[in-house]
Amino acid sequence: MTEQIRIARVEALGQDPVVLRHPAPRSADGKVLVRMRAGALNFADLLKAKGQYQEPQDAPFVAGLEGAGEVIDAPSSSGLSVGDRVAVSFPGTLAEVIAVPSVACHVIPDRMSFEQAAGFLVAYGTSHLALTMRAGLREGETLAVLGAAGGVGLTAVEIGHALGARVIGIARGPERLETVRAAGAADVIDSTNCPDLKSALRELGGVDVVYDPVGDTAGLQAFGALRRGGRFLVIGFAGGKPSALPLNHALVKNIAIHGFYWGGYRQLDPQAIRTSVDDLLRMFENGRLAPVAGQVLPLERLSEAYQLLRSRKSVGKIVITM
């Protein structure tokens, strides 16, 4: 008899996923079966459910873009063994058992919990590749991180600090700013009490790199604080729309604008992802990174988790346990 598992499925675009029972996937050629222990939510999950993600998918589909669990079956060519603990980045991770390509799996250290690993790949991978490969962040430079208390922003603060940069974290509210400071920010700015972010950043000496997962007015104001030769990383648009960046200023000040989508590197440069994740896991092993699961909720409270994600009030990643 086929095992019945729980999955979180988006039944129609414009709706949040619902938890239901479904037959478990079976072993397939070249695929690795993973019993998932935890999954993490990203802002992209909201966009995907609305049909607005850059890689759209017709409903119905299983939600989730990353998670962690144990290998329960793997082809010999995969290099994985039954019992391996892995972090997974692949569409459809909010299910108790999934079948994925071996390249989507990364063996995690013994001391990394499933809750930590569930939200590690996308957020840390995005920040590490964007800051090192695209922006070329150097020791001693100043990095401004918008949305610094969010799932991806907090990792940019932590990685920027680990790389030797001076980090300025911008977030909403004193509690969230305390988390940002604890992650390594030398200076913090409360965006709820800052009508002129450009001036605030300039008063702190200006910045060399802006990490922007927010967009809209905040991104535009941070752009204005870039020094000559600065780099602007376009990570996302949690603020609702892209920033209208003045390209004439980019020209005059020799500013580079880099769009960055981590998932796109699966086709663009998959080895870059593998190398970056290996570097990140070494940083974790060496105690230079300390992933924090902001809110941990069981699968049956998924609707609450989506509401929390939508409110943008969470600190760090929202993790769903299975």
Side-chain angles (χ1 to χ4, degrees):
M1 182 176 176
T2 303
E3 179 187 0
Q4 293 288 308
I5 62 169
R6 292 181 302 162
I7 66 172
R9 192 165 72 185
V10 174
E11 298 288 83
L13 296 181
Q15 298 178 3
D16 288 348
V18 293
V19 178
L20 48 84
R21 296 245 166 215
H22 192 271
R26 296 184 177 184
S27 301
D29 290 343
K31 294 291 182 69
V32 177
L33 284 184
V34 182
R35 187 170 297 281
M36 301 299 287
R37 300 302 184 185
L41 295 185
N42 294 276
F43 185 72
D45 288 297
L46 294 179
L47 297 178
K48 201 171 180 188
K50 292 190 289 186
Q52 297 175 355
Y53 192 52
Q54 56 256 42
E55 292 180 353
Q57 188 174 354
D58 293 331
F61 61 85
V62 179
L65 294 168
E66 62 176 334
E70 299 159 328
V71 173
I72 56 177
D73 191 29
S76 57
S77 60
S78 69
L80 297 168
S81 302
V82 173
D84 281 348
R85 302 169 70 252
V86 293
V88 180
S89 173
F90 200 76
T93 52
L94 288 181
E96 291 179 318
V97 178
I98 62 174
V100 295
S102 60
V103 294
C105 301
H106 302 262
V107 177
I108 60 175
D110 290 340
R111 71 182 189 88
M112 179 179 274
S113 70
F114 287 127
E115 289 80 8
Q116 288 176 313
F120 190 80
L121 292 180
V122 173
Y124 278 92
T126 293
S127 294
H128 186 263
L129 260 188
L131 291 173
T132 58
M133 178 177 283
R134 303 297 284 174
L137 182 66
R138 296 182 289 271
E139 185 175 356
E141 288 191 316
T142 299
L143 165 68
V145 180
L146 301 179
V152 74
L154 203 57
T155 66
V157 172
E158 195 175 1
I159 291 171
H161 173 68
L163 293 174
R166 172 198 174 207
V167 182
I168 303 171
I170 300 99
R172 295 186 295 179
E175 266 189 48
R176 291 158 67 84
L177 288 174
E178 280 304 309
T179 302
V180 172
R181 200 182 284 280
D187 297 282
V188 294
I189 296 173
D190 190 340
S191 58
T192 56
N193 302 314
C194 182
D196 190 352
L197 179 60
K198 175 181 172 180
S199 295
L201 288 171
R202 284 184 167 180
E203 286 173 10
L204 290 172
V207 299
D208 300 293
V209 176
V210 171
Y211 183 97
D212 180 19
V214 177
D216 209 351
T217 304
L220 176 61
Q221 291 193 358
F223 181 89
L226 278 168
R227 298 169 178 150
R228 293 185 181 276
R231 287 87 76 200
F232 188 94
L233 289 165
V234 182
I235 304 298
F237 314 112
K241 62 182 180 180
S243 304
L245 301 179
L247 298 185
N248 57 323
H249 291 190
L251 170 67
V252 172
K253 295 175 69 176
N254 287 298
I255 290 171
I257 300 169
H258 297 287
F260 187 85
Y261 166 44
W262 187 79
Y265 270 78
R266 290 194 189 98
Q267 287 76 41
L268 181 63
D269 191 347
Q271 185 54 48
I273 287 184
R274 179 66 57 178
T275 301
S276 172
V277 171
D278 288 346
D279 287 347
L280 286 165
L281 291 174
R282 277 193 293 272
M283 292 171 77
F284 174 86
E285 289 261 52
N286 295 335
R288 297 171 66 196
L289 301 177
V292 175
Q295 282 79 22
V296 180
L297 299 170
L299 186 58
E300 52 266 27
R301 292 173 64 186
L302 185 63
S303 60
E304 182 182 336
Y306 264 69
Q307 280 299 109
L308 187 60
L309 181 64
R310 193 176 285 113
S311 73
R312 294 176 58 195
K313 293 180 179 178
S314 60
V315 177
K317 276 295 184 79
I318 299 171
V319 172
I320 305 298
T321 56
M322 290 172 273

